Structure formats: C-alpha cells, structure tokens
Amino acid sequence: MDMIPQLMEGSSAYGGVSNLSIITNNSSSVTGTVVGGATQPPSSSPSANSSRYENQKRRDWNTFGQYLRNHRPPLSLSRCSGAHVLEFLRYLDQFGKTKVHTNVCHFYGHPNPPAPCPCPLRQAWGSLDALIGRLRAAFEENGGKPETNPFGARAVRLYLREVRDMQSKARGVSYEKKKRKRPLPPSSASSSSAVASHQQFQMLPGTSSTTQLKFEK
C-alpha cells in the first residue's frame, strides 16, 4: 500500500520529504494489546474496523487542511475547488511507491517485471480512490454541502478514471470489480427447494411409480 504524507506545521506545500511525517493507508500503526505478557492481535470486529477508518479519515482531513494552509497563497476550504483537489493528488505522487511503466519501457504492461527500470513511482490508483472517498465524507461531516463538495467534482472523477486506466495498462493489471452473484428471488429459491425435495423423494427405496405420480399431482 502506498503512503500518504501528513504535513507538519511550517512545512511548504511543495517542500521536501524531510518536512513530512509519513503515515500509511492501511493503518499499520495499529498495534496489538499486551495481556499477561503476550501480545494479542488487534481486533477485527466491525467496531474496530470502523474505528481505524475514522482515525484514517481524520488524519487525511487534517493533512488536506494543512496542505491548504501551506499553499501559496493560502487557501480557505470555502474557496477550494476540484482543481485544487487535483493539484493535491498530483503533489502526493512524489511520495508514491508504485512503479508505473512508461509506454517506451520494455516492461510496459508486464505485471511482474524481471528487472528494475527507471520508470517513475506514483501513488497507486487504489490509494487515491480510497483517499478521495474518505475526504469526500469528511467534507460533508464538517459542514460542507454535497453540491459544493470539491472531492466529488466531475474533474476529480475523470482524473481518477484516467489514473486507473493508465496504471492498469502500464502495470498489466486489471482493476475491474468482480461481479457478485445475484441472490435468487424468494419464489425461485422456494421452487428450487421443492424440486430438490421431489428428487430426494424419488430416490427413496420402495417408492412406486404410482406414489410418484400422486406426489407430482
């Protein structure tokens, strides 16, 4: 998982890595609990997962707020637009850990390159997509209106789609979601159950054809 920088007070919006405190998107900073000298793994309950999500969302929101304050000239949240969100996402690319091959690279489209190459490191599409989802929710939770949410702007959606398609081709991986099997409607489920029961009835020893015909009626 790529890393999202957390800006520190007094750092420039375009400063170096030394001015940043790096946090991971997968909340790897969450550690187990020590009980009786043994370390227990972190809880995987829905409440624990929700807590990790909320903590990550709060850190992302603070990071974006600090980015706006460090911007030259400084930006207020009310003046933030989709263009500023795109600027923020491009700024984050310098901290990316995902190799994205250029179309002139011999490993373009190769999911497992056998050797290193000089292609740039970028933020993975999945990391950016998840980040925008959290910031979009945080914006509205902090009093923003859905119709003015810069993280839901059409330009941001198009940018994420372009990044997804470009990285998919460059890395030779597919980002298509697997189609979930649709559950059978209640009528179909009961009908299937009746057919299965009928088949089991026919397989019972000593069941005559007359009995079977009566069952079918």
Side-chain angles (χ1 to χ4, degrees):
M1 182 66 71
D2 282 349
M3 309 178 82
I4 301 298
Q6 184 175 14
L7 301 182
M8 306 300 291
E9 292 288 347
S11 64
S12 168
Y14 301 96
V17 179
S18 59
N19 290 329
L20 300 171
S21 173
I22 302 299
I23 57 177
T24 59
N25 261 350
N26 59 3
S27 298
S28 59
S29 59
V30 178
T31 58
T33 304
V34 177
V35 178
T39 301
Q40 303 294 328
S43 173
S44 58
S45 64
S47 59
N49 292 335
S50 175
S51 178
R52 284 195 291 269
Y53 170 80
E54 292 299 326
N55 289 338
Q56 184 66 59
K57 182 171 61 177
R58 183 172 59 255
R59 288 194 293 266
D60 293 336
W61 183 247
N62 291 338
T63 296
F64 185 73
Q66 188 62 45
Y67 175 83
L68 294 182
R69 289 190 292 273
N70 291 340
H71 194 277
R72 296 293 179 269
L75 283 171
S76 63
L77 188 60
S78 59
R79 293 176 53 206
C80 181
S81 67
H84 297 118
V85 175
L86 294 182
E87 185 181 281
F88 176 64
L89 295 180
R90 295 188 180 103
Y91 159 74
L92 292 178
D93 262 339
Q94 64 182 300
F95 308 104
K97 301 297 181 183
T98 299
K99 178 77 72 173
V100 180
H101 303 289
T102 62
N103 54 8
V104 296
C105 178
H106 293 296
F107 302 137
Y108 183 83
H110 199 301
N112 298 300
C117 67
C119 292
L121 296 175
R122 296 283 185 262
Q123 291 286 346
W125 165 77
S127 297
L128 295 179
D129 187 59
L131 172 67
I132 289 299
R134 292 190 295 269
L135 290 175
R136 184 173 182 175
F139 177 85
E140 297 178 14
E141 290 172 2
N142 284 273
K145 297 180 179 180
E147 58 270 20
T148 60
N149 194 328
F151 304 101
R154 183 173 182 270
V156 175
R157 296 197 303 270
L158 291 177
Y159 176 79
L160 290 175
R161 189 182 306 169
E162 290 174 2
V163 171
R164 181 193 64 185
D165 295 343
M166 183 267 291
Q167 291 191 7
S168 177
K169 294 176 182 178
R171 301 177 60 204
V173 296
S174 175
Y175 291 120
E176 296 297 330
K177 293 183 178 179
K178 294 182 179 179
K179 294 183 178 180
R180 295 182 178 179
K181 293 184 179 180
R182 300 177 62 182
L184 292 174
S187 58
S188 300
S190 59
S191 177
S192 301
S193 177
V195 172
S197 300
H198 176 53
Q199 291 175 344
Q200 292 177 357
F201 181 80
Q202 289 179 328
M203 295 175 63
L204 291 175
T207 304
S208 64
S209 59
T210 303
T211 305
Q212 293 175 12
L213 288 173
K214 287 181 179 179
F215 180 82
E216 291 173 357
K217 289 180 181 180

